Amino acid sequence: FAQFAKTEDAIKYRQSVMSVMGTHFSRMGAVVKGEAPYAKEAFEQNANVVATLISLPWDAFMVAGSDKGSKMKPEALAKKEDFMKHAAAIQAEVAKLLVAAKGGDLNAIKPQFGATGASCKACHDSYHSK
């Protein structure tokens, strides 16, 4: 984890990545909920952004002390193996979401969007302070 000279750099990095992913995931969520019109290209682009970024934040969570000054629970560091299993599950669900988005069938996208959101929520429930 030497790429982060300071703990604050790791926190800032992962929060930035999560913020951008959250923006694009929310855009897809609006479509899935019927609050925004479905446009295949736009939905796929949002899914692609999330799929591109989803591998980035995980190492930044494992920097010693990075639970201080953030909403990350200390358990993430203490239970690194479990935390990283959540990370792998989220990445797998996002990959499936991208495949569904490329397929263009909103009826196939909706359940996969739900499964992807559930995988994110499971990690947040375990390792993110409210």
Side-chain angles (χ1 to χ4, degrees):
F1 308 117
Q3 68 267 35
F4 301 106
K6 297 184 260 180
T7 303
E8 299 81 28
D9 294 342
I11 295 168
K12 187 176 179 181
Y13 176 84
R14 71 175 187 241
Q15 288 175 342
S16 297
V17 171
M18 293 300 226
S19 176
V20 173
M21 284 193 302
T23 296
H24 290 272
F25 201 77
S26 293
R27 290 176 184 172
M28 290 185 286
V31 171
V32 167
K33 293 176 190 173
E35 298 168 356
Y38 175 64
K40 181 188 181 300
E41 296 78 21
F43 196 96
E44 185 178 337
Q45 181 182 20
N46 285 310
N48 193 49
V49 169
V50 173
T52 299
L53 297 178
I54 196 63
S55 66
L56 297 178
W58 310 110
D59 286 344
F61 281 100
M62 295 295 105
V63 174
S66 68
D67 56 319
K68 314 277 188 291
S70 74
K71 292 183 179 181
M72 182 177 88
K73 292 180 180 177
E75 290 88 345
L77 291 167
K79 299 178 181 179
K80 178 183 176 180
E81 188 174 310
D82 184 64
F83 180 84
M84 294 308 269
K85 283 182 186 178
H86 280 283
I90 293 166
Q91 291 175 75
E93 294 300 331
V94 167
K96 292 176 194 174
L97 179 61
L98 181 57
V99 169
K102 287 180 178 185
D105 179 0
L106 189 56
N107 291 321
I109 290 168
K110 286 180 179 182
Q112 185 52 49
F113 182 86
T116 304
S119 69
C120 295
K121 184 181 181 320
C123 190
H124 278 232
D125 287 349
S126 297
Y127 298 111
H128 186 268
S129 297
K130 305 285 180 212

